[in-house]
Amino acid sequence: MVVRTKGARCRNRAIFIRKFPKNKKENMAASTTSSFPTSQEGVATSSQQNLDAITDDDFEYVDEEFVLSHSAEQQAQPEPMIPDLFKQPSLVKDDLITATSQLQDQTVEHCLPFLTGEDGPLDLNDYGLPKLNRDKHIKFLKQSLGPLPGRFVAVDASRPWYLYWCLSGLTMMGEDVSSYRDSVIETARTMQNESGGFGGGHGQTSHLATTYAVILAIALVGGEEAYDVIDKKAMWKWLCSLKQPDGGFQVCVGGEEDIRGAYIAAVIITLLDLPLDLTPESPAYDGRSNLLTGLAEYVRSCQTFEGGISSQPNNEAHGAYAFCALACLAILDNPRRIIPSYLDVPRLVSWLSYRQYAPEGGFSGRTNKLVDGCYSHWAGGCFPLIEASLSPSGPGSEKHKTATGLAAAPESLYSREGLIRYILCCCQDQTKRGGLRDKPYKMSDPYHTNYVLSGLSSAQHQWDLDSDPLPLPNGDTTPSLAAVGADSVWNVFPYIDENDQIYEDSDRVRPIHPAYAIPQKNVNAIRAYFQGRSGFASTLGEE
Amino acid sequence: MPSKGKAATKPKATETPATTTSNPTTTNTTSQTASQPSEPTTVLERSQQRFEKTRPFEAARRQQGLSRLSKEDQKGWICDQLLHLTNRLPAASRSCLLGPKASKEIWWTVNGTNSIVRGLKHKPEPYTTWGTDRNGHDVGSYTIERFDERFRQRIALTALQVSSRVFRENVEREKRGFVDARSGREIIVTEREIDEEKVRRSKMAALKKDLYGAITGKLAESVEWEDVVPIPHEEPEGALAAITYPAEYAEAMSYLRAVMTTKEYSPRCLRLTEHIIAMNPAHYTVWLYRAANIFALGISIPDEIEWLNEVALANLKNYQIWHHRHLLVEHYYPTISSDPDALAQFAKQERDFLIAILSEDTKNYHVWSYRSWLVGKLGMWEDEEELKSIEKMIDEDVRNNSAWSHRFVLVFSNPKYATPGKAATEKDEKVPQELVDREVKYAQNKVYLAPQNQSPWNYMRGVLVKGGQPLASVQGFVEEFVNKLGEGEEEEEVKSTHALDLLAEIYAEKKENEKADLCLRRLAEKWDKIRGGYWEWRRKCLTQSEREKAPGEQVEKAEEGIAAA
């Protein structure tokens, strides 16, 4: 392997210019080419100056335009250390061409130049990776929280998501978001309905997805004043009205029942410490059931023959729902016990592992679909939970139904390097716009920015479940869900690769809780606040 | 702008009234000369000057106060007022205000003062006369040049909108394969036209942004909505991710909030939901409210479905549409459930539409979810056509995993073969052998087409597990795709990594752990390196299961060891 000094930079590359001035196009290409071999530093600055000299108004928006310039000294420069796995199309390939294979080939074709450093930014480290463009991504997210132009009407029902995606992304990148507290409070108030829950905006019906986003945004900014916005009692009544006899939850009154509902309900119930009793008005009320009855069984019914999880029973396995299923179970009980009790773990691990593609390195959402940055979280984020469920119990712990015959997960069940390469090379929008994206040639957006960063965070950290399942009350054989999530203690460490770390230390983002998808301290703070307020539970009897 | 036109013609028609020059001169000449001939700088000023020209007495009174005016001017002012008052009344009731004698006198005076009979009625005021622009500024405060520019922009926007509409209609025609009646050729939208439209759109967007922000809406002007008091969007100043709503959307949402609050269900509400859906099809609240309206009003479900089909085709990625359809079918089903013909007819109709929409977007998750639900709802398990149409899709793209998943559900979730409560990856005794054989055969034939395609592999494995068959029953088939494993880099041939994966499982099942381990090792080392961690784990599982398999034996051996010692 070629050993390279830290300061060495690969120059055998293309200069990446996305936004390109209409009239200056030719001049510029010429100037960069001619000045290129003389001085490496000089090139960087001169092209930089060129770019700076051009005002925004001069630009014709040319997405992904590259000007190639080759150095005469290219042979002298050492190659960056990129394993062949990420530089070449996969070894085994079929001849038959169908719509699916065409799209797949095209995606590989688009990604390879970014992965090999042929396209993309100038600054690459010894491993061929660009830096995380933190400043630009922060600016992008902050802008997305600001006033949005009229064409954003299409996301009018998803505004709470914007709060969560942006605040969560900023938090992971190390920004202090508590300054947004007042505006989150004000914004959340207009979204809350008297009948419980939060909708997408003023006058919109309460929905579990938007409620999840608002509660997480509130937890992210923190503070009692923010927590107090939530009308806990109304929330509890509303959740009861969504609970279905088969154990699942509708996403809104009259809406669809799916596994998102199951996960979000588990998040809300535990973060707000809601009572589990059902109101007599609840569709699931039968005098015996509570809010969590049959929830894990519902999750189980969503596992498909492929091993993955679908949105509802009898649908296709899909990455986003795999995360919902695992996170829901991990909230309900200790993952070591509950995940093998309700899911076919070997099949699930197999399906999850197959979500990662080479050479792209990223994850896809379904069999034979394309990689997409957001699955860095939805599929990639499943691994800490799966690894926890496979981790051996501490000595002397109660013998429970862990996956029999299944070994503990190795250091890393998936290729962290592959995912990190995909994220840093392919998912960063290197233009002035910033933000992270699905794949090359797609626009960045807050959704992808947040979930790509979540995936990066999970790839950079190691989560250990530092608690064994508590003994089940009354000698039950299956979890009774009596002590919801109470016994799971998670510890997080930076993941240290036994080989070299391929990214810079400064590109580490902060860890987030593997099930709640916000930092652990925010989870603890909001839970502590609501657990400390038992006043509401005692008034229940009066209902 | 009617007032503008009027004002423009009037001053020419009449001489500048003598009074304006004669009377106020006594008080302040300077202001006269300053205000009168100076060129107007703003639109409002121009309007005001026009007003003053046509209403000299009123202008003088405003400047100086009624008491400061000369007797003559006061008289003129009174006549002017009365004249405009009577002018506003219907002709028949004019005589009620003034008797014939008084009227005569007024007219006499008017003639004498050379006053303008048809002067401008209202004094132009800031904001109200010319309205506000997108920033809430008074358009009246614009300079004449800027105002003319705005006017030109509006003309330009209208022209662009007309062209854009023509373009969109052509796109629609192309989609439906229309033939131009005159040329007899099919309508084709060229790349150039698309590029032109892109330019046009951006120009339109820029113009709209420039011009509007506070246009008065259609609903507010409509008689139909007169009785509704809209609830405007309420949001504090610094709200996060606040959207600058286009006026039309903001207005429609205000009316929606109002009718939803009063729980009104009416045809006009239905139209309102359609209006909003056209602007924002992802608005779940509106869809739910629309469904409520349809059920409350007893609207024909087939009619609604027909409308929905068009919306669905225009918004392929939208999923609120599919839940709406779900609700409609839930509602409709009881009315046809007892009539097998109607049921079959409806099932066919739905399938035809699903086939059409899936041909546009072959893996649309929400469409497939709906389809799978529909099979259960309408009991289409044994429907030959359903299976055929899935086979057709698999033939078109053997890698379409959504189609494979649907097939699995169609075959194995059939209540005839499915025990309730069984997990998908669990064996089910109710599944007959011939069904397993048929499906395994089907999957194997598809594997031959493209051995590295995972869909049929997953399908086959799923079928074997469901049917309770050992994986080893397909060992011969699987081995066709792997040659000379472990016999050297050059010799070894793997046509499908999925075959190698399954082979490892088959060997493990047969307790041939060394062979299984070799498969996994070769996957990790060469054939599927990206899953190195996973293959390593599988290898660990092999040894683990070996240890767990015979814990008793191990203990015995250990005891033997102790005894021997």
Side-chain angles (χ1 to χ4, degrees):
Chain A
M1 197 172 274
V2 189
V3 180
R4 302 176 60 210
T5 53
K6 192 96 186 165
R9 289 285 180 265
C10 170
R11 291 292 155 200
N12 173 23
R13 306 188 41 256
I15 296 182
F16 172 55
I17 301 155
R18 260 263 207 99
K19 275 186 155 186
F20 213 80
K22 245 185 215 166
N23 44 0
K24 299 180 191 171
K25 198 181 277 183
E26 276 175 26
N27 301 342
M28 184 137 154
S31 77
T32 40
T33 317
S34 59
S35 65
F36 202 72
T38 52
S39 147
Q40 289 173 4
E41 287 308 304
V43 175
T45 39
S46 76
S47 63
Q48 190 56 43
Q49 279 164 357
N50 268 334
L51 282 172
D52 287 346
I54 299 151
T55 62
D56 227 354
D57 298 337
D58 296 337
F59 286 122
E60 143 191 56
Y61 196 85
V62 183
D63 198 23
E64 316 283 353
E65 178 147 349
F66 306 99
V67 179
L68 290 161
S69 345
H70 290 281
S71 159
E73 298 172 339
Q74 53 186 262
Q75 275 92 9
Q77 297 296 333
E79 286 287 321
M81 290 181 277
I82 306 171
D84 286 347
L85 178 61
F86 305 112
K87 287 200 292 198
Q88 294 161 358
S90 49
L91 272 182
V92 188
K93 224 168 151 283
D94 294 323
D95 296 331
L96 180 77
I97 293 171
T98 65
T100 300
S101 67
Q102 278 173 329
L103 278 174
Q104 174 59 30
D105 291 348
Q106 192 191 60
T107 304
V108 171
E109 205 178 291
H110 284 171
C111 290
L112 276 178
F114 286 90
L115 289 163
T116 56
E118 205 178 293
D119 286 347
L122 202 61
D123 261 343
L124 297 184
N125 72 6
D126 300 354
Y127 299 91
L129 284 177
K131 283 189 63 61
L132 178 70
N133 236 321
R134 210 178 276 260
D135 293 345
K136 275 192 205 163
H137 304 326
I138 287 173
K139 200 177 131 225
F140 174 76
L141 289 179
K142 284 188 172 167
Q143 263 172 8
S144 303
L145 278 175
L148 304 170
R151 67 192 148 83
F152 279 78
V153 152
V155 297
D156 191 27
S158 311
R159 282 183 50 223
W161 280 115
Y162 268 62
L163 306 196
Y164 166 62
W165 295 331
C166 295
L167 294 173
S168 162
L170 289 170
T171 306
M172 279 186 279
M173 287 189 288
E175 290 288 291
D176 176 12
V177 296
S178 60
S179 58
Y180 286 101
R181 185 176 298 134
D182 289 345
S183 22
V184 166
I185 290 170
E186 289 301 310
T187 314
R189 281 208 177 109
T190 64
M191 293 166 172
Q192 187 161 227
N193 288 304
E194 270 177 35
S195 51
F198 295 85
H202 175 209
Q204 296 188 34
T205 309
S206 288
H207 194 291
L208 276 179
T210 48
T211 304
Y212 168 82
V214 171
I215 291 178
L216 292 194
I218 285 174
L220 282 167
V221 294
E224 300 201 349
E225 208 194 327
Y227 302 148
D228 276 337
V229 170
I230 304 166
D231 183 343
K232 192 172 152 180
K233 190 169 174 180
M235 181 74 74
W236 166 71
K237 284 187 180 174
W238 175 63
L239 268 187
C240 289
S241 72
L242 301 176
K243 177 76 178 177
Q244 299 299 301
D246 69 356
F249 283 84
Q250 280 185 337
V251 289
C252 58
V253 176
E256 60 273 30
E257 178 189 6
D258 64 28
I259 200 157
R260 290 176 305 160
Y263 164 56
I264 293 169
V267 168
I268 296 174
I269 291 165
T270 50
L271 285 187
L272 307 186
D273 192 35
L274 296 182
L276 297 183
D277 312 69
L278 284 175
T279 57
E281 293 78 29
S282 167
Y285 182 80
D286 58 6
R288 299 183 308 277
S289 302
N290 68 28
L291 270 175
L292 298 176
T293 309
L295 193 55
E297 282 79 5
Y298 181 80
V299 171
R300 177 182 187 253
S301 72
C302 292
Q303 188 167 28
T304 82
F305 72 97
E306 288 192 278
I309 313 285
S310 58
S311 63
Q312 294 160 328
N314 283 337
N315 291 343
E316 188 185 3
H318 187 295
Y321 306 121
F323 177 80
C324 290
L326 285 171
C328 175
L329 293 179
I331 288 170
L332 294 181
D333 187 31
N334 190 303
R336 280 199 190 101
R337 174 165 56 201
I338 194 168
I339 291 179
S341 301
Y342 285 94
L343 297 174
D344 182 335
V345 175
R347 281 295 87 212
L348 179 57
V349 178
S350 162
W351 181 85
L352 270 175
S353 301
Y354 273 111
R355 301 282 53 75
Q356 193 167 24
Y357 288 5
E360 302 97 304
F363 284 90
S364 72
R366 301 182 244 168
T367 304
N368 279 335
K369 291 273 283 178
L370 306 173
V371 286
D372 176 339
C374 73
Y375 296 117
S376 310
H377 168 71
W378 297 122
C382 287
F383 284 97
L385 298 166
I386 273 290
E387 285 165 3
S389 80
L390 293 169
S391 59
S393 306
S397 67
E398 178 213 10
K399 186 100 179 142
H400 55 81
K401 195 194 166 196
T402 32
T404 43
L406 295 184
E411 273 281 274
S412 190
L413 209 40
Y414 69 104
S415 167
R416 293 177 190 247
E417 172 173 358
L419 182 59
I420 292 170
R421 282 189 181 276
Y422 182 69
I423 289 173
L424 292 178
C425 296
C426 298
C427 293
Q428 298 196 78
D429 186 324
Q430 298 286 2
T431 64
K432 227 170 122 186
R433 176 185 170 89
L436 295 125
R437 62 190 174 188
D438 166 350
K439 56 174 75 67
Y441 306 98
K442 298 265 182 180
M443 293 287 266
S444 60
D445 56 54
Y447 165 83
H448 283 94
T449 305
N450 175 54
Y451 288 122
V452 171
L453 287 171
S454 305
L456 181 61
S457 163
S458 133
Q460 291 172 334
H461 293 93
Q462 180 97 44
W463 285 88
D464 285 347
L465 183 59
D466 193 23
S467 56
D468 286 314
L470 294 175
L472 294 167
N474 316 324
D476 288 352
T477 47
T478 51
S480 68
L481 314 170
V484 190
D487 58 344
S488 295
V489 178
W490 294 91
N491 289 326
V492 63
F493 309 95
Y495 177 79
I496 309 292
D497 202 305
E498 50 195 34
N499 307 317
D500 290 341
Q501 179 174 303
I502 56 166
Y503 58 93
E504 312 294 316
D505 262 331
S506 58
D507 288 346
R508 267 186 200 279
V509 296
R510 289 190 186 169
I512 51 169
H513 190 285
Y516 291 100
I518 49 173
Q520 210 172 7
K521 75 172 185 1
N522 298 68
V523 175
N524 295 341
I526 191 170
R527 287 189 76 172
Y529 176 78
F530 284 108
Q531 278 165 359
R533 292 165 64 91
S534 50
F536 160 55
S538 63
T539 62
L540 278 182
E542 297 159 22
E543 289 299 316
Chain B
M1 281 162 287
S3 57
K4 193 181 163 209
K6 234 194 236 174
T9 51
K10 265 306 132 189
K12 274 184 217 156
T14 18
E15 290 294 309
T16 311
T19 37
T20 31
T21 41
S22 64
N23 282 313
T25 37
T26 49
T27 45
N28 56 355
T29 324
T30 45
S31 86
Q32 261 306 307
T33 44
S35 71
Q36 187 60 22
S38 73
E39 279 294 309
T41 52
T42 66
V43 179
L44 187 70
E45 241 179 76
R46 185 170 69 179
S47 305
Q48 280 172 343
Q49 285 185 10
R50 282 170 179 164
F51 171 80
E52 283 166 6
K53 272 186 182 169
T54 63
R55 300 285 297 274
F57 296 108
E58 174 65 11
R61 183 195 69 86
R62 276 175 198 249
Q63 270 180 13
Q64 299 159 28
L66 190 59
S67 55
R68 293 243 196 111
L69 295 183
S70 68
K71 268 260 164 76
E72 278 298 298
D73 284 353
Q74 284 181 355
K75 200 174 167 191
W77 181 79
I78 292 167
C79 290
D80 184 62
Q81 290 295 304
L82 284 168
L83 195 67
H84 282 93
L85 206 61
T86 50
N87 271 352
R88 248 175 282 166
L89 292 173
S93 46
R94 274 179 203 164
S95 55
C96 302
L97 189 72
L98 295 168
K101 197 180 168 197
S103 288
K104 218 178 192 177
E105 193 161 328
I106 287 172
W107 282 111
W108 185 79
T109 318
V110 167
N111 279 336
T113 54
N114 214 358
S115 186
I116 298 157
V117 179
R118 289 181 63 207
L120 294 174
K121 275 180 197 157
H122 303 288
K123 179 177 163 36
E125 299 289 347
Y127 291 98
T128 48
T129 306
W130 289 103
T132 51
D133 64 10
R134 57 183 288 263
N135 298 318
H137 296 148
D138 179 16
V139 175
S141 70
Y142 280 26
T143 60
I144 310 291
E145 293 76 29
R146 194 168 163 213
F147 179 80
D148 289 347
E149 179 54 33
R150 186 178 166 86
F151 195 69
R152 274 193 292 276
Q153 281 182 328
R154 290 177 57 179
I155 292 171
L157 179 61
T158 310
L160 287 169
Q161 280 169 332
V162 170
S163 317
S164 173
R165 196 156 147 194
V166 171
F167 172 83
R168 272 177 288 143
E169 279 169 1
N170 271 340
V171 170
E172 201 51 38
R173 288 194 189 109
E174 185 194 33
K175 243 192 246 165
R176 294 171 185 216
F178 274 35
V179 175
D180 190 339
R182 255 175 277 166
S183 64
R185 260 174 277 155
E186 268 191 41
I187 291 176
I188 292 163
V189 179
T190 63
E191 280 297 316
R192 206 179 128 203
E193 282 171 329
I194 293 170
D195 288 343
E196 282 170 1
E197 174 68 7
K198 276 184 193 156
V199 176
R200 203 152 44 221
R201 293 246 169 118
S202 65
K203 277 188 191 160
M204 277 161 61
L207 283 172
K208 276 186 190 165
K209 200 178 141 199
D210 258 18
L211 286 168
Y212 305 117
I215 48 163
T216 50
K218 281 180 204 151
L219 297 173
E221 287 164 9
S222 136
V223 184
E224 190 190 13
W225 289 95
E226 244 170 17
D227 59 314
V228 177
V229 181
I231 302 174
H233 182 74
E234 235 175 64
E235 204 156 58
E237 189 86 335
L240 294 174
I243 299 166
T244 317
Y245 296 111
E248 201 179 3
Y249 181 78
E251 188 203 28
M253 283 302 295
S254 309
Y255 279 85
L256 180 81
R257 277 186 282 269
V259 289
M260 278 183 66
T261 309
T262 57
K263 293 198 167 58
E264 177 184 325
Y265 302 118
S266 63
R268 72 175 178 187
C269 292
L270 211 57
R271 282 197 295 279
L272 180 64
T273 60
E274 186 173 346
H275 181 48
I276 297 174
I277 285 165
M279 292 184 277
N280 178 12
H283 206 310
Y284 64 90
T285 305
V286 186
W287 282 103
L288 289 170
Y289 181 60
R290 180 175 180 90
N293 265 284
I294 284 168
F295 302 146
L297 298 174
I299 303 276
S300 143
I301 302 293
D303 284 357
E304 175 69 2
I305 287 182
E306 202 171 301
W307 172 81
L308 196 59
N309 288 353
E310 280 182 32
V311 183
L313 281 166
N315 299 279
L316 287 175
K317 293 293 172 196
N318 177 286
Y319 73 85
Q320 273 78 16
I321 288 168
W322 297 97
H323 180 63
H324 186 65
R325 203 176 184 97
H326 177 126
L327 292 178
L328 295 176
V329 175
E330 283 281 18
H331 192 81
Y332 186 53
Y333 178 74
T335 65
I336 54 166
S337 59
S338 54
D339 179 353
D341 288 344
L343 211 55
Q345 172 63 25
F346 182 67
K348 184 187 176 307
Q349 225 174 290
E350 283 298 277
R351 178 165 49 242
D352 287 348
F353 177 68
L354 289 170
I355 290 170
I357 199 146
L358 286 172
S359 71
E360 303 258 328
D361 189 3
T362 53
K363 298 176 182 178
N364 188 310
Y365 198 82
H366 306 291
V367 181
W368 282 109
S369 303
Y370 172 78
R371 188 166 187 172
S372 141
W373 170 81
L374 193 74
V375 165
K377 183 77 201 173
L378 304 183
M380 293 152 77
W381 305 107
E382 308 277 312
D383 193 330
E384 281 297 310
E385 288 302 313
E386 185 69 9
L387 196 65
K388 265 193 212 157
S389 100
I390 295 304
E391 281 179 11
K392 191 164 168 269
M393 287 201 78
I394 292 177
D395 287 343
E396 275 161 17
D397 183 351
V398 74
R399 298 182 176 97
N400 185 343
N401 197 60
S402 303
W404 282 99
S405 290
H406 189 75
R407 183 180 177 103
F408 196 90
V409 168
L410 194 61
V411 176
F412 295 103
S413 292
N414 184 347
K416 209 162 127 190
Y417 310 124
T419 311
K422 284 271 183 201
T425 59
E426 224 176 347
K427 171 187 169 184
D428 196 327
E429 286 80 6
K430 276 174 83 180
V431 177
Q433 183 63 43
E434 58 273 19
L435 201 64
V436 175
D437 293 343
R438 185 189 83 183
E439 293 306 300
V440 166
K441 192 86 221 134
Y442 180 79
Q444 288 182 350
N445 283 333
K446 301 300 171 191
V447 166
Y448 285 127
L449 297 176
Q452 187 56 13
N453 169 19
Q454 198 180 14
S455 295
W457 286 106
N458 282 353
Y459 188 84
M460 182 173 73
R461 199 193 177 287
V463 172
L464 291 171
V465 171
K466 228 342 98 213
Q469 301 262 308
L471 299 177
S473 61
V474 293
Q475 184 171 349
F477 169 77
V478 180
E479 280 170 345
E480 288 178 43
F481 302 93
V482 180
N483 280 321
K484 301 189 176 166
L485 195 70
E487 294 177 25
E489 281 289 320
E490 295 303 308
E491 299 293 307
E492 192 174 86
E493 190 192 9
V494 173
K495 284 186 202 143
S496 169
T497 60
H498 308 301
L500 203 48
D501 180 358
L502 186 54
L503 209 51
E505 288 203 81
I506 290 170
Y507 289 138
E509 188 184 84
K510 295 168 76 181
K511 318 287 181 217
E512 299 175 31
N513 279 4
E514 269 173 39
K515 281 185 172 177
D517 193 66
L518 176 66
C519 295
L520 297 172
R521 218 176 60 222
R522 292 307 291 155
L523 280 164
E525 285 168 357
K526 178 171 183 189
W527 296 104
D528 196 25
K529 278 163 91 169
I530 189 78
R531 267 165 282 288
Y534 172 64
W535 303 126
E536 188 196 329
W537 175 70
R538 286 269 296 271
R539 291 178 68 196
K540 274 169 77 183
C541 287
L542 279 179
T543 48
Q544 175 115 348
S545 66
E546 219 163 53
R547 237 179 289 140
E548 279 179 18
K549 198 171 56 190
E553 262 173 53
Q554 280 173 346
V555 174
E556 271 170 37
K557 273 180 192 162
E559 280 171 358
E560 274 169 27
I562 293 165

